[in-house]
Amino acid sequence: MAKRLGRRKFLLYGSATLGTSILLKACSGTSTTNPSSPTAASPSPGATTVAAAGGGDTIKVGILHSLSGTMAISEKSVVDAEMLAIDEINKAGGVLGKQIQPIQEDGASDWPTFAEKARKLIDQDKVVTVFGCWTSASRKAVLPVFEEKKHMLWYPVQYEGQECSNNIFYTGAAPNQQIEPAVDWLLQNKGKRFFLIGSDYVFPRTANTVIKEQLKAKGGETAGEDYLPLGNTEVTPIITKIKAALPEGGVIFNTLNGDSNVAFFKQMQGAGLNPDKYPVMSVSIAEEEVKAIGTEYLKGHYAAWNYFQTVDTPANKKFVAAFKAKYGADRVTNDPMEAAYIAVYLWKQSVEKAKTADDIEAVKKAAVGQTFDAPEGRVTLENNHHLAKFVRLGEVADDGLFKIVYETPKAVSPVPWNQFVAETKGYACDWTDLKKGGKYKA
């Protein structure tokens, strides 16, 4: 497939091309779609509808991720997972007797481009929903578009919380389902002194605000904090600061995103900062990134997610087998891919409950309470538009997969408004009661 060839080239060139990758842009107006000629659907009175999107024999949905630029290293595989779910659903008869017609757009690792493409998918392509974004910067860029249009985005990646939109369904982790359990485990098992590194945008900075408050509350210490512009590979100054701040070793909490991680882990090893004394806990490094960076640089380090390819459930065995059958035996699955895959199925179930794809408000209401036997375990979409999810921590093993070192026995309810940060402590979100809505004092 052409998109896989592009990905392989991207990974092959590695850090030699990382400095320029963020400059890549998508050609304006380019999209990937399947031919169809849908007819207009009849809206229900007073409902938010999308004309023509679900007419005829197809239902059009948008897929909006970075297929070029620094985030392509992570986002292309999310598209593969979404397309796998769509193919499975179509082969099983579709949704309401209609085939799903995906329309792909490239956000190009550029946040204004994400907003432009979101508007195109809604206004020109008349999609009934969008599956998209990875970084919080891209999500924040498209959020005003979805709120203005009263439309619907399914967002598949863990994030920093401090948001609860009626127009977004968050199928990745909130901080209490990833970051906070990881910090607790590290304090108990790896040390009290932390150095925080991240890409310089909203997710890492907000996540590190949460971590610093949690460390204060739990008896830990923030020994240092530093950031890189997204896509930047000049990591030597950060490594120098880590050595100065933690001369005897300590915990490194990593919120770098994209291909900055390639340079970071290679130079960490080159500087002799090995996981026995300097364990790194990452929240954006999964199986795909381990494979791209090189297992030899990551073995012994850790990641916090809700899903790993090594999860032992019947649903996961089926998911991994189906993914490898479609894309190749050498491919791996990871947490954002799983969250993207189950988002498509949750949307399908919501449409079937609402008995319409075009009435977006009806679909939103039908989505709350949906459950799904996901590869990670049984998940439930709660009234704050976030999923109850399992929490897992993994250590990179010799084969590049994760040995699970901690997991919760049941799904953990999401808490979008952080309870360690003073400004949001005590707040919650409930979209089944509009008097409460996106933020209310619990």
Side-chain angles (χ1 to χ4, degrees), residues 89-405:
I89 292 168
N90 282 342
K91 288 176 182 176
V95 183
L96 301 179
K98 299 179 181 182
Q99 295 287 286
I100 304 171
Q101 179 188 345
I103 300 176
Q104 292 188 39
E105 289 290 351
D106 181 8
S109 305
D110 178 72
W111 322 141
T113 298
F114 266 92
E116 171 195 333
K117 298 297 186 180
R119 195 172 292 275
K120 173 191 175 292
L121 286 167
I122 295 168
D123 289 343
Q124 295 182 33
D125 299 308
K126 306 296 184 185
V127 300
V128 297
T129 196
V130 176
F131 304 96
C133 301
W134 176 293
T135 67
S136 288
S138 63
R139 189 192 70 255
K140 293 288 189 184
V142 304
L143 177 56
V145 177
F146 284 90
E147 296 200 330
E148 174 197 340
K149 303 291 183 181
K150 299 189 188 307
H151 217 274
M152 180 168 42
L153 171 70
W154 295 80
Y155 178 65
V157 184
Q158 47 77 19
Y159 83 120
E160 71 283 355
Q162 308 301 65
E163 179 181 295
C164 188
S165 171
N166 192 30
N167 301 92
I168 298 180
F169 290 91
Y170 308 79
T171 60
N176 74 299
Q177 299 167 309
Q178 184 197 33
I179 292 170
E180 293 171 25
V183 170
D184 285 340
W185 185 85
L186 289 165
L187 286 170
Q188 293 170 15
N189 294 279
K190 295 298 176 180
K192 303 290 186 182
R193 305 192 73 223
F194 283 52
F195 196 102
L196 313 180
I197 63 168
S199 298
D200 194 4
Y201 72 99
V202 61
F203 164 64
R205 286 194 174 272
T206 308
N208 286 340
T209 297
V210 170
I211 292 169
K212 286 183 288 186
E213 293 301 318
Q214 185 178 355
L215 289 175
K216 286 180 188 177
K218 298 291 184 76
E221 176 190 350
T222 303
E225 180 179 5
D226 209 351
Y227 297 89
L228 278 177
L230 193 63
N232 188 293
T233 60
E234 296 297 324
V235 300
T236 301
I238 286 182
I239 290 175
T240 300
K241 291 177 184 178
I242 290 171
K243 293 171 74 173
L246 301 172
E248 303 301 320
V251 175
I252 300 166
F253 206 101
N254 172 30
T255 52
L256 290 171
N257 256 285
D259 40 24
S260 298
N261 279 299
V262 180
F264 173 70
F265 280 99
K266 287 183 177 180
Q267 291 192 37
M268 277 281 291
Q269 188 179 95
L273 303 186
N274 296 317
D276 56 338
K277 290 183 65 177
Y278 294 90
V280 179
M281 178 68 76
S282 299
V283 292
S284 292
I285 293 286
E287 288 87 343
E288 189 82 0
E289 288 76 21
V290 172
K291 186 176 179 183
I293 295 167
T295 304
E296 65 271 27
Y297 300 107
L298 285 152
K299 188 175 72 171
H301 291 298
Y302 299 88
W305 293 104
N306 310 109
Y307 165 87
F308 293 109
Q309 183 174 308
T310 48
V311 169
D312 187 13
T313 66
N316 186 44
K317 291 175 183 177
K318 180 181 176 183
F319 170 58
V320 172
F323 189 84
K324 289 178 177 290
K326 183 173 177 62
Y327 296 110
D330 62 330
R331 294 291 305 277
V332 292
T333 58
N334 65 30
D335 182 285
M337 292 160 63
E338 189 248 9
Y341 175 81
I342 64 180
V344 180
Y345 274 97
L346 288 167
W347 166 79
K348 168 189 178 287
Q349 292 178 186
S350 305
V351 168
E352 290 172 341
K353 181 179 178 181
K355 296 182 172 57
T356 175
D358 300 323
D359 188 337
I360 292 175
E361 292 304 314
V363 176
K364 288 179 190 175
K365 290 177 182 177
V368 174
Q370 290 292 334
T371 63
F372 185 69
D373 287 324
E376 69 181 77
R378 192 169 183 82
V379 298
T380 303
L381 195 55
E382 298 199 351
N383 57 13
N384 54 22
H385 287 192
H386 292 65
L387 274 182
K389 297 174 70 69
F390 290 79
V391 178
R392 293 181 172 95
L393 307 177
E395 179 182 356
V396 180
D398 290 336
D399 59 0
L401 300 179
F402 286 88
K403 175 187 175 183
I404 297 172
V405 297

